[in-house]
Amino acid sequence: MSGPTAPAANASDPAALPEVARIARDLIRIDTQNWGGGRASGEREAAEYVGAYLESLGLITHYFEPISRRTNVTARAPGKNPDRPALILHGHLDVVPAPAEGWSVDPFEGLVRDGMLWGRGAVDMKDMDAMILTSVAELLRAGEQPDRDLILTFFADEENGGVEGSQLVVRDRPEWFAGATEAISEVGGYSIDVAGRRAYLLQVGEKALLWIRLVARGRAAHGSRLHGDNAVTRLAEAVAALGRTEWPVRLTETTTQLLARLAEITGESDADPDALAAYTGPAQGFLRSTLRTTANPTGLTAGYKHNVIPDRAEALIDVRVLPGTEDAALADIRRIIGDDVEIQTVHRDIGLEVPFSGDLVERMVAALGRHDPGAPVIPYLMGGGTDNKALASLGIAGFGFAPLRLPADLDFTGMFHGVDERVPIASLEFGQRVLTDLIRTC
C-alpha cells in the first residue's frame, strides 16, 4: 500500500508543534469512526499513514486487510539481542463515533487550543499511537538499537471488540508476534490526583466484556387498545431492573492492591472501597467500576408507528465483569430480569489479570520515577478492554502504559468516548519522553 500525504496543516495551530502532537493531530484528522457490527469508516488511510512513517524510519511494514478497508499494519524494529523475548507496542486506529452537534469544536479538525489537542481520538487512542511512533523514531534516528525486538502493531476495529481487527490478525497472522511475551498499550500509565497528591495508574488487568441483547416479545395490536401483553412494557421493566441494580463489591488481587495503595497515600486505612476510590476525584468513575460488575443499558429498539403496539422490543446492555465471573454474572442477570425476556449474547471475551511485578513492571515504574520523582505508581484493573485480550490467546501478557502527566483538574477518564475529547500537548511530550526512556532500558 502506498503512503498517504499528511493532512494539511491547520493555520490556527502554533507555528511549531512537537512531532508527537503533529502525528496525533494528523491521525485525528483521518476519520476512522467505528459504529460496530461491521459499520465503520475504515482504518485504511490511517494505517497507510502509520506505515509510511514506519518506512521512513527504515522499517519493513506488513499490512493485513481481511475485510475491505479494515486495515492492520505492523513493523519490527530488530534488537541487539534477538534471543530475548520481543516486546509489542500496539495501538488501535479506529475511534468511536463523534456526532458533531455535541461538541464545541469539530471533532475531526485536530484543533490546538489552550495548550491542548482536541478531537476524537485525542484520548482514545491516537495520542498513544503518536507516542509509540515518535518514541521509536527518536531511538532509531539517534542510531540506537533497542536491546530486544520491538514489534509495532496498529489494529483495526478495537472499538468493536477487535472482531474485525486484532482477533483476525492473531488468528491469521500469528507470525507477526513470533517470539513476543509481553505487550504494552493504552489506558494505563496516566496520572490521577489522590487527595492532592499526584499518582500514576499502571494497568495490569481488564474486566471481561459481555455485550448482550434483551429481547421481549408480546402481541401486536392497535395503540388505542387496553393491552396487557406489551413487549415494550415488558422490556422497559427488565431494563429498569437491571440498570438500577447495585452490584456488590468483589475484590481481585489487583483491586486489593489498588485499595491498599490508596489507603497508604490517603491515610484512610479504615475507609470502605468506594470511599477510598472517591479520593481519586474524577477518576473514581473508572476505579469504582473495577470493584464490581457493571451492566449499563446503551440502546433501545422497538416499534415502527405511534399507533401500533409492536410484538418485539430490544435493548442493548454493556456488561463488564471481573475476570472469571462471566457465567455467574449471566445467571444474576437472568434472575434480575425474570424468565420472560430473552438474553442473546452479541459478543463475549475474556478478562485479564497479570501480576504487578516482574522486570517489565519494574522498568515501567522506574521510567515514571525518573521523570516524575516521588509520584507513587498504583496497579489497577481496567473496567474496559483492549487488544491485549486477543494477544493473550498467544500467551502474551498485556499491560496498559500510555504515560501522561495530567493537570489535577482535568477529567481525563471522563473523556473516553465523551465529547470535547482533548489532551494537553505537554502531556504528550511527557509521555514520549517516558516511553522513549522505557524502550531504551527494557
Side-chain angles (χ1 to χ4, degrees), residues 353-417:
E353 198 166 22
V354 297
F356 183 63
S357 61
D359 183 68
L360 181 58
V361 168
E362 291 173 2
R363 292 179 186 274
M364 288 188 282
V365 171
L368 281 171
R370 285 190 290 273
H371 293 269
D372 196 353
V377 180
I378 305 170
Y380 92 111
L381 177 77
M382 188 178 67
T386 75
D387 288 316
N388 279 329
K389 292 181 176 182
L391 293 171
S393 67
L394 300 177
I396 296 167
F399 300 87
F401 189 71
L404 297 169
R405 184 170 61 195
L406 300 162
D409 59 351
L410 180 68
D411 183 8
F412 180 74
T413 60
M415 288 187 287
F416 281 85
H417 299 189

Side-chain angles (χ1 to χ4, degrees), residues 18 25 73-74 104 145 179 183 190 198 214 255 301 311 313 341 360 418:
R25 179 194 62 183
V73 60
T74 193
S104 65
Q145 189 176 14
Y190 58 90
R198 187 164 57 244
L214 304 185
T255 52
T301 304
D311 60 2
V341 173
L360 181 58

Side-chain angles (χ1 to χ4, degrees), residues 6-7 17-30 49-50 53 56 117 126-135 137 141 154 428 432:
L17 283 175
E19 185 180 26
V20 64
R22 293 199 307 271
I23 298 300
R25 179 194 62 183
D26 288 351
L27 288 172
I28 287 170
R29 290 176 174 178
I30 302 173
Y49 178 91
V50 167
Y53 187 92
S56 76
L117 174 64
K126 292 177 176 179
D127 57 339
M128 178 59 169
D129 293 336
M131 291 193 297
I132 292 171
L133 292 170
T134 53
S135 294
R141 288 168 182 164
F154 299 85
L428 292 174
Q432 184 198 348

Side-chain angles (χ1 to χ4, degrees), residues 64 66 166-175:
F64 180 51
S166 60
Q167 291 188 29
L168 298 182
V169 176
V170 164
R171 186 192 71 185
D172 297 335
R173 294 293 186 274
E175 66 275 10

